[in-house]
Amino acid sequence: MSAHTLPRRHRIRRGALAIALATCVGATLVSCSDGAEPAAGQSAPGPAADARLARLAQKAADTGSLGVIVRVDSGDGKPVEIAEQAAWTKDDHTLAAGDQFRVGSNTKTVTATLILQQVTENRISLADTVEEWLPGLVEGGEDITVRMLLNHTSGLSDFLLTPEFLPSLTGQEKRTWTPEELLAITPEQDPPAEPGETYAYSNANYEALGLILEKATGSSLAELIRKKITGPLKMRDSYLATDADRDTGRQHVTGYEPNAGRLKKILSGTVDLPAGVGFAGPERPGDNVDTSAIDPSWSWAAGGMVSTAADWQTFLTALNSGELLAEAQLRQMRTTVDAPEEGGGYGLGLIRADTTCGTVWGHTGGLPGYSSEIYTDAT
């Protein structure tokens, strides 16, 4: 139920392996229709279109996605909310449209918003170098600016599939990583790229931005999110995960990934995983693994938030209406570099996707067992 599809090669480098796979719970918010005028009081072209969307969601669930949440709100009536799942997954959890899920790299839009708020307050400049804020932590940091971190032109690669981190990503190793440790194992891009030269998505950029935020404000990232975003917007079902604990008082969806044998086949030709590498967790039907207990806290400023489709709509609406950022900073956020693999361009923590129903703004995200694509138009 996504607004656009990313190439598999790039999706693996996104929040986690889950994005490359079809066996994850997905959640999508889009604010455009197929071009037809909605009837009064409806958020979609009509009941027939809603029914077709539900059938597509069920088909996606039955053919690999396992669980799908869809929310479509055109702002002129009751939103369309759909939750469909493969039959066997109901033994673990009955999916509802209001369930919480791990939004993965959609978190980057929140982190970028916090940075730009500090720019407004003159605590951070987009021209500041990483070395100024994090001396000695990032190789070549004297040539990398805050803007380059935000739009992924820093020249940094990603730590996700490194031999050191892969066991934690799959849950085979239980380890709590600090952002400093993740930056230390971040490899050089291959081939190398000079800072500011080309777009190349890297979670390391946002680990660095989280550290800069904490240093600039004296507050923890979780506290900043509560104080500046979720609190003022009354996003009561959204928070930054610090571990795999899901006892929050709301239903949290269960996520799944293929077992080691099936995973290796799926990723063949994209990445050559070592033999036996797979996700840790209880075995489930269809050669799947329940990945819900894998600790997502490593993703932090790059992808650690949990939310709902309705809450994230609240955030994107506030962001695009100017409630969270001054006009100058919102304009900077929407200034993009070419990123064809994103379906358009990448701004400061924000994807511009050029779709058949027009240009939309948002992000994608994934963690083991979870994948999401969340977009809105600019108005």
Side-chain angles (χ1 to χ4, degrees):
M1 303 309 104
S2 59
H4 77 288
T5 302
L6 300 177
R8 174 181 287 184
R9 175 189 62 79
H10 186 77
R11 295 172 93 192
I12 292 172
R13 300 207 309 261
R14 177 61 45 80
L17 286 175
I19 297 183
L21 309 177
T23 55
C24 42
V25 172
T28 303
L29 163 68
V30 292
S31 291
C32 58
S33 71
D34 62 2
E37 287 294 326
Q42 292 180 334
S43 284
D50 297 354
R52 181 172 181 270
L53 188 57
R55 290 195 298 272
L56 288 171
Q58 186 64 64
K59 182 178 180 180
D62 291 338
T63 56
S65 292
L66 302 186
V68 178
I69 293 172
V70 180
R71 179 182 173 91
V72 182
D73 188 354
S74 62
D76 62 353
K78 185 178 180 181
V80 176
E81 295 183 306
I82 295 168
E84 304 290 355
Q85 64 192 119
W88 67 262
T89 65
K90 294 178 183 179
D91 292 339
D92 296 331
H93 173 82
T94 300
L95 195 62
D99 284 351
Q100 292 174 324
F101 59 94
R102 297 174 189 173
V103 301
S105 288
N106 287 285
T107 304
K108 290 180 172 68
T109 309
V110 169
T111 300
T113 300
L114 293 172
I115 287 282
L116 289 167
Q117 287 176 341
Q118 297 307 308
V119 170
T120 302
E121 296 177 16
N122 295 315
R123 290 185 179 180
I124 297 174
S125 168
L126 294 178
D128 288 347
T129 68
V130 175
E131 186 64 18
E132 290 176 62
W133 283 104
L134 309 174
L137 274 186
V138 176
E139 188 173 351
E142 63 277 4
D143 297 317
I144 301 171
T145 66
V146 170
R147 182 189 294 276
M148 293 173 191
L149 294 176
L150 285 164
N151 66 12
H152 298 291
T153 61
S154 66
L156 297 177
S157 188
D158 213 326
F159 52 79
L160 280 185
L161 298 183
T162 60
E164 299 94 331
F165 186 71
L166 187 57
S168 296
L169 176 63
T170 59
Q172 300 291 346
E173 177 182 74
K174 296 186 182 301
R175 172 178 174 177
T176 300
W177 289 84
T178 66
E180 293 87 348
E181 290 171 334
L182 293 172
L183 288 170
I185 65 169
T186 297
E188 184 179 349
Q189 278 188 27
D190 184 18
E194 291 297 320
E197 190 175 84
T198 58
Y199 170 85
Y201 193 96
S202 170
N203 290 284
N205 292 320
Y206 278 73
E207 297 288 333
L209 287 167
L211 290 174
I212 291 172
L213 273 171
E214 292 194 335
K215 192 167 185 180
T217 64
S219 299
S220 71
L221 179 63
E223 182 181 354
L224 284 171
I225 291 172
R226 286 194 301 269
K227 182 179 178 181
K228 298 283 191 177
I229 307 291
T230 60
L233 297 180
K234 296 181 172 54
M235 295 169 59
R236 295 184 178 88
D237 297 316
S238 303
Y239 62 93
L240 184 71
T242 55
D243 53 37
D245 184 10
R246 297 179 294 155
D247 185 16
T248 64
R250 282 296 303 269
Q251 291 264 52
H252 184 303
V253 300
T254 303
Y256 307 93
E257 293 288 0
N259 64 17
R262 204 162 126 246
L263 178 65
K264 190 172 180 64
K265 290 180 181 177
I266 290 173
L267 299 183
S268 176
T270 304
V271 61
D272 186 18
L273 291 180
V277 170
F279 292 96
E283 294 183 2
R284 304 301 293 128
D287 295 329
N288 291 301
V289 174
D290 179 346
T291 59
S292 305
I294 295 179
D295 185 357
S297 64
W298 61 267
S299 56
W300 195 51
M305 286 194 70
V306 170
S307 189
T308 64
D311 259 12
W312 216 258
Q313 176 191 353
T314 297
F315 166 62
L316 285 182
T317 300
L319 177 63
N320 283 280
S321 66
E323 185 175 344
L324 295 175
L325 291 178
E327 183 180 348
Q329 275 64 57
L330 186 56
R331 190 164 54 247
Q332 293 272 20
M333 187 178 238
R334 290 180 182 161
T335 300
T336 63
V337 295
D338 287 340
E341 57 267 62
E342 307 296 355
Y346 199 98
L348 306 186
L350 199 63
I351 291 173
R352 187 197 79 237
D354 302 319
T355 76
T356 56
C357 57
T359 295
V360 292
W361 298 87
H363 215 286
T364 64
L367 287 168
Y370 303 85
S371 178
S372 54
E373 300 197 24
I374 311 180
Y375 292 96
T376 184
D377 58 24
T379 58

